[in-house]
Amino acid sequence: MRRELQALRAVAVTLVVVYHLEPRLLPGGYVGVDVFFVVSGFLITLHISRGLAADAPFSLLGFYARRVRRLLPASLTVLLVVGVVTLVALPQTLWNTIGRELVSAAFYVENWTLAATSVDYLAAGSHASPVQHFWSLSVEEQFYALWPLLLLAASVLGAKRGRARGAVIGAVAAITVISLAYSVHQTQQSPSWAYFVTPTRAWEFGLGGLVALTVPVLRAPAWARSALSWTGLTAIAGSAALLSGETPFPGFIALVPVLGALAVIMSGDVPGRHSPSRIGNLRPVQFIGDISYSVYLWHWPLIVLVPVLVGGPSYELPIPLRVAVVAAAIPIAWLSKEYVEDPFRGGGPRRGAARAAVPRGTRPVLVGAVAGMLVVGGLGGVAFGVSQARIDSAQAELTRFTAADLPCVGAASLEAGCAGRTPDGVVPDPMIATRDATEQNCQQAAARAEVIRCEYGSDAPSSTRVALVGDSHANQWMPALTRIAQERGWRLVTYVKSGCAYAVGLGSANCQAFNREVAERLRSETPDVVITSARSGLGYGSHADTAAAVRGFAAAWEPLIAAGTQVYALADTPEPEKAGLSDPPSCVASGDTCTISEARALPDDALVMAAERTGAAVVDLRDSFCFDGRCPSVIGGVLVYRDSNHITSVYARSLSTVLGRHLAG
């Protein structure tokens, strides 16, 4: 193995692990995955091209069997452990997602599952799956399945014209260009989809493959190759430090870490005092590179599962313990490599029974792989099936409950005359809490700028015209507002977007574009009432300080107020995550009290400060959430929160009476 490739793997896995441990340290550390893709594309293409050029025919089954021996034993071991831990020790609120993703990961389609279910900002606060990181392994396996077929077909067709190698290079170049163009397009149109799917990532493997087919190592002076290698490492490190979760990715920007990785590969192992190889060849670096695959496999399940096993679904490990958990991934990864990976690969120091028990023929290896995938998939299927049955039952119960519109439930239980009339149990069942989100089709995604307009209530010309604007914390009031609109004959329209407070100069570029268009529509529609809210204490999408946020809100509202529109600013709801409770539904399911501190859950709200400055009306319903400085997760038999920061639709609907009283003034 070329030592610079092992060093590059060490860099890649370190970036990913640090990013997963604490994203604020390396907000773009996810580019480590792109480095892995380039290295894989280089090595696999080099291996296949040598096989195609050899005298003996290239064996597809032999290639697949080697890939299986290299990758599946360790990955299936991790998935098996996660599956057993899920069924034995995790709350059922987590089974559905983990079960579904275990099946997807076992059959290496996790990237497509995440692409299909990804809802960017709406997923905030939901408990991360311990196998979520298998999306990148799924992309690699799909590449391994299709790449040799492409190269073999190109070689056969090219051989008929005496240009087998040229045909292979041409095919790889064509796939690379097409994939890059598609990646750029999809990153603009649907970033969540673009991040996960294989066609938007194929060009990264393809560029690695082109280098393998053309200039696997530059023939240049050592000083020039050393400078190129340092440049490549700087590009990778700079990407990890300067990119973030808000960066549209992969798209064109992914070229920076990808080309950086290619520069290191083409430079090779460069001798000299000032060469990066002097560091890359150190034994600790080579050791991390050697176990990088196992480190990648084990570190994320440890990060996700250990806090749940130690303190429950809402427990967050202190930073020193989180570092200790990640550090523990290194010896676990070494053991996994020594006792799982190496025996199946046919190398390493392990001898005796472990090596003797490993199948050697191509067919036994492939059959064993399928059997292992079926076992893991079965575990995931059990977790998914059991949880889905409970979900279906809970959903039916919720439908009956909502239709009945019972008095004295949720916030209504706080009204006079409701003492002792609170129903038993908790609605919605914590199993379906994250699904109890209303009107998501009318909420624009965080990465899109196009305005979505939805309309409710009366269409009479004389009806009061009301507009709801803001982010998901504005949209969470829709169950109450639609009920009020129905009762009062309002015409209610909505302009809401994930992670995008209605303000001037705040948020991402597409948020600001969205808000400019909304401002134009409000100017032309001249609503009688505008209702707005926003998630507090987050910099409102742009890391703005409180003063800047107040100015941004005021600048957005002042034209409305000047035109005679009544603006209502809904103070933000208590946020469990800020008070240390990251998963209220799972907490409630475990039987804990799940009460949070009002002071911690309700930070300073720039929205309220802006209302006081502009004369907008403030609607603060904290008395419907908190009592004596504490905010419970269940009120009047209703689960208050569906995730770490949004309220359930059932509880929002129960607030319609008290909200209506505030909006009447």
Side-chain angles (χ1 to χ4, degrees):
M1 174 60 68
R2 288 170 47 171
R3 289 185 292 181
E4 75 278 6
L5 297 183
Q6 291 295 75
L8 201 51
R9 283 173 166 160
V11 169
V13 78
T14 300
L15 295 179
V16 172
V17 169
V18 172
Y19 173 71
H20 285 161
L21 174 66
E22 179 48 74
R24 289 174 295 185
L25 295 176
L26 277 178
Y30 52 80
V31 301
V33 170
D34 302 84
V35 174
F36 275 126
F37 287 167
V38 173
V39 172
S40 294
F42 174 82
L43 286 174
I44 294 305
T45 305
L46 194 64
H47 173 76
I48 294 172
S49 64
R50 288 172 177 171
L52 293 174
D55 294 334
F58 178 74
S59 171
L60 275 174
L61 286 180
F63 172 83
Y64 292 140
R66 285 190 294 273
R67 289 293 89 201
V68 165
R69 283 197 296 265
R70 169 69 179 91
L71 300 173
L72 264 65
S75 65
L76 291 177
T77 299
V78 172
L79 293 176
L80 184 64
V81 170
V82 170
V84 171
V85 170
T86 297
L87 294 175
V88 171
L90 299 190
Q92 281 194 12
T93 50
L94 306 180
W95 284 20
N96 199 257
T97 297
I98 295 177
R100 179 182 64 244
E101 293 190 19
L102 271 172
V103 175
S104 299
F107 293 97
Y108 289 96
V109 292
E110 172 72 348
N111 62 319
W112 294 100
T113 296
L114 292 179
T117 59
S118 178
V119 200
D120 52 68
Y121 183 81
L122 296 179
S126 59
H127 205 280
S129 161
V131 297
Q132 188 171 298
H133 63 317
F134 268 72
W135 78 268
S136 62
L137 301 179
S138 298
V139 172
E140 291 218 21
E141 287 293 342
Q142 292 158 30
F143 165 75
Y144 295 147
L146 298 175
W147 202 243
L149 296 175
L150 170 70
L151 268 58
L152 182 60
S155 178
V156 170
L157 293 175
K160 295 179 180 179
R161 300 181 180 180
R163 300 181 58 187
R165 184 174 179 81
V168 170
I169 293 174
V172 172
I175 292 294
T176 300
V177 171
I178 293 170
S179 171
L180 178 58
Y182 181 69
S183 179
V184 172
H185 172 75
Q186 283 299 112
T187 300
Q188 295 172 343
Q189 297 299 313
S190 181
S192 297
W193 180 266
Y195 190 83
F196 292 115
V197 299
T198 307
T200 62
R201 297 288 189 160
W203 65 272
E204 301 180 19
F205 297 95
L207 282 177
L210 283 175
V211 168
L213 293 168
T214 54
V215 282
V217 178
L218 284 173
R219 294 181 179 178
W223 66 265
R225 293 182 344 185
S226 179
L228 180 63
S229 186
W230 278 119
T231 301
L233 290 171
T234 301
I236 296 169
S239 299
L242 299 177
L243 302 184
S244 71
E246 297 179 2
T247 305
F249 202 86
F252 270 129
I253 196 65
L255 278 166
V256 178
V258 166
L259 293 177
L262 291 175
V264 175
I265 292 171
M266 294 169 67
S267 299
D269 186 14
V270 190
R273 291 179 56 192
H274 304 295
S275 166
S277 296
R278 189 177 182 186
I279 300 172
N281 291 343
L282 294 175
R283 290 186 63 183
V285 176
Q286 291 291 305
F287 172 72
I288 295 298
D290 198 34
I291 65 170
S292 58
Y293 176 57
S294 284
V295 170
Y296 184 84
L297 287 174
W298 284 104
H299 84 281
W300 181 246
L302 290 173
I303 289 175
V304 173
L305 293 177
V306 170
V308 180
L309 297 175
V310 170
S314 297
Y315 181 68
E316 184 174 344
L317 286 175
I319 289 291
L321 291 181
R322 290 166 65 189
V323 172
V325 167
V326 170
I330 295 177
I332 293 173
W334 177 79
L335 290 171
S336 176
K337 183 178 184 301
E338 286 286 291
Y339 291 95
V340 179
E341 284 187 60
D342 286 349
F344 277 88
R345 293 172 65 186
R350 298 299 115 199
R351 296 289 185 267
R355 290 284 303 279
V358 174
R360 294 299 169 200
T362 297
R363 183 173 296 178
V365 166
L366 297 177
V367 170
V370 172
M373 294 162 73
L374 290 174
V375 169
V376 172
L379 284 175
V382 169
F384 180 83
V386 170
S387 61
Q388 190 62 47
R390 181 174 165 184
I391 286 171
D392 292 341
S393 174
Q395 197 67 56
E397 179 186 353
L398 178 61
T399 301
R400 292 191 298 270
F401 180 90
T402 303
D405 204 15
L406 299 174
C408 295
V409 298
S413 68
L414 306 176
E415 301 287 331
C418 281
R421 297 176 60 188
T422 300
D424 295 330
V426 177
V427 177
D429 187 314
M431 286 290 293
I432 61 169
T434 56
R435 305 177 183 213
D436 191 32
T438 188
E439 302 301 339
Q440 297 305 316
N441 291 333
C442 292
Q443 179 175 308
Q444 183 57 278
R448 305 291 294 273
E450 296 81 10
V451 171
I452 297 176
R453 183 183 190 274
C454 291
E455 189 170 332
Y456 307 85
S458 173
D459 57 1
S462 60
S463 61
T464 300
R465 295 163 298 165
V466 180
L468 175 69
V469 297
D471 61 10
S472 63
H473 279 224
N475 195 46
Q476 69 181 346
W477 292 100
M478 280 301 294
L481 289 173
T482 51
R483 185 175 184 180
I484 295 170
Q486 202 171 41
E487 292 172 348
R488 300 186 181 182
W490 288 353
R491 185 181 68 183
L492 173 65
V493 298
T494 64
Y495 299 109
V496 290
K497 171 176 162 61
S498 296
C500 185
Y502 182 65
V504 173
L506 301 184
S508 62
N510 60 44
C511 172
Q512 295 183 43
F514 179 91
N515 281 334
R516 285 193 294 270
E517 175 63 21
V518 171
E520 286 295 325
R521 296 198 185 193
L522 293 177
R523 187 177 296 113
S524 63
E525 293 172 5
T526 60
D528 301 299
V529 175
V530 167
I531 300 170
T532 187
S533 191
R535 188 180 184 188
S536 63
L538 287 180
Y540 303 93
S542 62
H543 307 293
D545 59 25
T546 300
V550 171
R551 291 193 299 270
F553 286 124
W557 303 345
E558 284 166 348
L560 297 169
I561 296 172
T565 296
Q566 173 66 64
V567 175
Y568 286 96
L570 302 187
D572 197 19
T573 52
E575 186 170 333
E577 187 174 50
K578 292 189 175 77
L581 183 63
S582 62
D583 190 355
S586 292
C587 179
V588 170
S590 69
D592 292 342
T593 56
C594 310
T595 299
I596 58 178
S597 162
E598 178 180 354
R600 294 179 62 194
L602 284 167
D604 293 339
D605 194 339
L607 191 93
V608 174
M609 298 177 191
E612 294 168 349
R613 171 183 293 190
T614 60
V618 176
V619 178
D620 190 343
L621 300 186
R622 70 175 63 201
D623 289 345
S624 296
F625 291 89
C626 305
F627 327 100
D628 300 323
R630 309 294 292 172
C631 311
S633 292
V634 177
I635 297 175
V638 173
L639 183 65
V640 178
Y641 303 103
R642 64 179 170 89
D643 59 21
S644 68
N645 64 92
H646 297 94
I647 62 176
T648 63
S649 292
V650 175
Y651 196 73
R653 184 174 175 82
S654 76
L655 286 161
S656 59
T657 299
V658 64
L659 178 60
R661 285 200 292 265
H662 283 78
L663 296 177

